[in-house]
Amino acid sequence: MSKLVLRFAPSPTGLLHVGNLRTALLNALLARRAGGTFILRYDDTDTARSTAEFAAAIARDLEWFGIVPDRVEYQSARLDRYEAAVAALKAAGRLYPAYESEEELTLRRGLQRSRGLPPVYDRAALKLTDADRARLEAEGRRPYWRFKLEPNPAIWEDGVRGPQHVDMTSLSDPVLVRADGTFLYTLTSVVDDLEFGVTDIIRGEDHVTNTGVQIQLFEALGGATPRFAHHNLLTLPSGEGLSKRLGHLSLQSLREEGYEPLAVAAISVLVGTSEAVAPVESLDALAARIDLSHISRAPARFDPAELSALSARTLHQMPYERVAGRLADLGIGGGEAFWLAVRGNVSRLAEAQAWWHVISRSACWGRDPQDAAFLESAAALLPEEPWDAGAYRAWVGALKTVSGRTGHSLFAPLRIALTGQAKGPELAALLPLLGRDRVLARLRGVDG
Ligand code: GLU
C-alpha cells in the first residue's frame, strides 16, 4: 500500500475549536500511526477574512498537542496552480461563464419552487450566444464560472459512513471562479489534494455534498481520487453546532483554563465513537484507539464538565517524565517524589504550585490548643532521617499508643500542622519532602 498522505485544511478566519481539533487529530494521528505524511494547509484564498494572526494561532494550537506538521502550505501562494486548473477545465468544456446576479437567481429559484421543481440552476448561461455575452459584458457584467456537472451519481465507500451516493442532478453547477477572479475552495482543495498526493480526505460530514462535486473535479482534472471519510460533528451540550466565528469552545480558551492537552485531545477524538472516553497516556496511545468505522453517525455533544473530569484523571496518572518540563516552567521543584505525592490531588497542573509552596516555603499555621500536647509528642517521637515507609508507619504507630488517638483525631491535627490544609496528599509521601527540621518546627507551632 502506498504511504498515507493526510491533511488538515483550516481557513485562518478564526480560532480553532474542539470540532476542528477532531478533524485535525484524526488526520495527524492516523498519519503518525502509519508513518505517513501530515500536511497543514491553510485555505486562505478568502483574503478579506483570513489573517496571519489566525494562521499563527492555528499552528500554536496544534503545537500545544505536540502536533508538528510535516509540510505547511498556503493556498494564497498557489494562485498560479488554480489558474492552470481553470484553463484546463475551460479547454475540456467543463467550465462555463454565467452572468446572473444573486437577485436574479433567487427570483428564479422562487419560481421553480412555486412550480414544484427543485431549485437547481437551469443552465441558462449555457445557451448564451457570443453576441449575448458581448451584450452582457458591454452592460458592465463580469462573468463568473460554473463547473458543468455530469449527471451520473457520485459514489464512494466512506471510511466512516460506508457506501455513499450523491445524486448530481439535484445540485446546481457549482461556481469555481468568482466574477472578481478569485477561486472557490471546491476547486482549490482538489487542485492541492491532487498535487500533494493526498491519499485520504478525512473531514466533517458537512462536506458530504462537496465530496460528490469534488469527485467529478478529481476526474475532470485527470488525477487519482483519494479515499474519503466524513466524521460526525461535535456540538455544544445544548446541541447547538460549534461556530468558529462565535468563538465556541476554542482551543485557546481551553488552554487558558488550564485543561490538560492530552485530555482535550482524547475527548475530542473519542467522544461520539464506540470507544470509551478515558485518559490516554500519550498521543501514540490515542492514535492506537482510532478506528474510523467506530465513529457514530449522530452528532456528538462536547461537555466541558466531562473534559474537566478527564483532565483531572489524566493528571492523576501522568508519569513524571511527561510533566517535568512544565513543572520546571511553573517554578516547581521536588522532582519525581514531589509529583508522585501530589498528582492525585490536583485537577489542574497549576494547582501543584500551591503544594510546592507548602513544601518549599517556610510557614507556620499555629496549633489548636487542644492538640498542642499531642503535637509535642509527635515531635518528640519523630525518628531521625532517612525516612522510608517503614519509618512513617513506626512513627504513627508509636503516636497512637502514646496518645490513644486513632483515625481522624490522630491524622487531622498532623495534617493541619504540617500543611495548613484539611485534605491533601499522603502524609507518608509529604514528610520526606518537608524534611525533619521543617516537620519539627511545624509540629511545635513555630515558623519552619
Ligand atoms: N477549508 C475547509 C474547511 O475548513 C477544508 C475542508 C476539507 O478538508 O476539504 O472546511
Side-chain angles (χ1 to χ4, degrees):
M1 214 181 85
S2 65
K3 207 171 131 177
L4 286 193
V5 180
L6 305 184
R7 86 313 190 260
F8 173 52
S11 37
T13 55
L15 294 174
L16 295 185
H17 55 54
V18 292
N20 304 130
L21 180 66
R22 186 178 188 77
T23 314
L25 287 177
L26 287 173
N27 284 288
L29 296 183
L30 286 178
R32 179 183 177 121
R33 190 171 84 185
T37 302
F38 173 60
I39 303 172
L40 170 60
R41 186 187 85 203
Y42 290 106
D43 285 0
D44 59 349
T45 51
D46 179 351
T47 47
R49 290 169 58 227
S50 301
T51 71
E53 288 72 27
F54 283 133
I58 288 170
R60 196 165 54 242
D61 281 345
L62 293 182
E63 219 180 284
W64 184 42
F65 298 97
I67 302 289
V68 180
D70 301 306
R71 178 171 176 181
V72 179
E73 295 286 347
Y74 290 81
Q75 289 199 322
S76 56
R78 297 176 42 75
L79 302 183
D80 57 332
R81 318 302 303 173
Y82 312 136
E83 211 59 82
V86 163
L89 290 172
K90 283 182 185 169
R94 295 296 297 275
L95 215 52
Y96 63 92
Y99 296 84
E100 293 95 337
S101 67
E102 205 38 65
E103 295 74 47
E104 286 163 337
L105 292 171
T106 310
L107 207 68
R108 213 179 279 175
R109 282 195 291 266
L111 277 175
Q112 287 170 312
R113 279 200 200 87
S114 68
R115 291 189 201 130
L117 297 171
V120 174
Y121 179 60
D122 60 7
R123 293 186 165 166
L126 266 181
K127 299 183 193 91
L128 296 174
T129 62
D130 286 349
D132 293 332
R133 281 195 287 271
R135 181 178 43 77
L136 287 164
E137 294 192 19
E139 280 173 12
R141 299 214 192 198
R142 305 270 306 125
Y144 52 88
W145 297 80
R146 289 190 185 264
F147 179 54
K148 194 168 167 234
L149 295 173
E150 304 275 14
N152 47 310
I155 293 168
W156 73 95
E157 182 66 31
D158 195 282
V160 174
R161 300 158 64 90
Q164 295 293 294
H165 166 278
V166 173
D167 172 11
M168 304 308 283
T169 62
S170 69
L171 302 180
S172 299
D173 289 338
V175 177
L176 298 189
V177 187
R178 296 187 188 87
D180 66 3
T182 56
F183 307 103
L184 278 108
Y185 146 80
T186 313
L187 171 74
T188 55
S189 184
V190 171
V191 172
D192 291 349
D193 289 335
L194 275 173
E195 190 171 318
F196 303 157
V198 169
T199 56
D200 297 73
I201 294 180
I202 305 172
R203 58 187 177 188
E205 65 183 11
D206 47 335
H207 285 289
V208 167
T209 308
N210 272 341
T211 296
V213 173
Q214 289 185 329
I215 285 175
Q216 288 206 355
L217 264 173
F218 276 107
E219 287 164 359
L221 290 170
T225 304
R227 290 176 291 259
F228 288 92
H230 296 86
H231 63 76
N232 56 356
L233 301 182
L234 302 188
T235 73
L236 292 173
S238 62
E240 188 188 337
L242 297 177
S243 154
K244 201 148 84 169
R245 193 172 47 81
L246 297 177
H248 288 147
L249 291 172
S250 75
L251 301 178
Q252 187 171 302
S253 69
L254 298 179
R255 184 162 62 241
E256 283 163 8
E257 285 168 46
Y259 291 113
E260 280 305 298
L262 209 45
V264 178
I267 194 169
S268 299
V269 168
L270 299 174
V271 71
T273 74
S274 56
E275 302 284 317
V277 178
V280 291
E281 68 159 51
S282 63
L283 282 184
D284 288 327
L286 180 57
R289 295 193 54 199
I290 296 177
D291 184 333
L292 293 177
S293 69
H294 289 179
I295 296 178
S296 46
R297 296 286 294 271
R301 282 169 208 259
F302 188 99
D303 183 356
E306 193 181 2
L307 170 60
S308 216
L310 186 68
S311 191
R313 285 168 65 207
T314 300
L315 279 176
H316 298 169
Q317 63 172 46
M318 180 91 70
Y320 176 64
E321 319 80 77
R322 292 197 184 274
V323 83
R326 290 165 65 203
L327 291 174
D329 290 345
L330 289 168
I332 295 173
E336 184 168 16
F338 170 77
W339 176 243
L340 295 183
V342 305
R343 68 178 180 180
N345 286 270
V346 294
S347 54
R348 299 279 202 277
L349 190 71
E351 292 166 19
Q353 222 163 19
W355 286 112
W356 177 239
H357 293 163
V358 166
I359 300 290
S360 63
R361 292 186 177 172
S362 102
C364 169
W365 289 285
R367 298 193 297 197
D368 185 328
Q370 291 182 41
D371 293 320
F374 167 72
L375 292 171
E376 274 309 326
S377 48
L381 291 167
L382 194 68
E384 290 298 328
E385 289 171 305
W387 293 335
D388 55 15
Y392 175 77
R393 265 198 309 276
W395 178 56
V396 169
L399 252 177
K400 234 183 220 174
T401 314
V402 169
S403 67
R405 295 189 183 208
T406 55
H408 183 77
S409 65
L410 176 77
F411 290 106
L414 292 177
R415 178 174 289 289
I416 288 175
L418 294 177
T419 69
Q421 317 270 330
K423 283 202 180 98
E426 291 291 334
L427 284 179
L430 287 182
L431 248 61
L433 292 165
L434 286 164
R436 195 166 195 277
D437 291 345
R438 188 151 275 171
V439 171
L440 274 183
R442 292 184 187 178
L443 290 173
R444 289 186 172 137
V446 296
D447 215 32

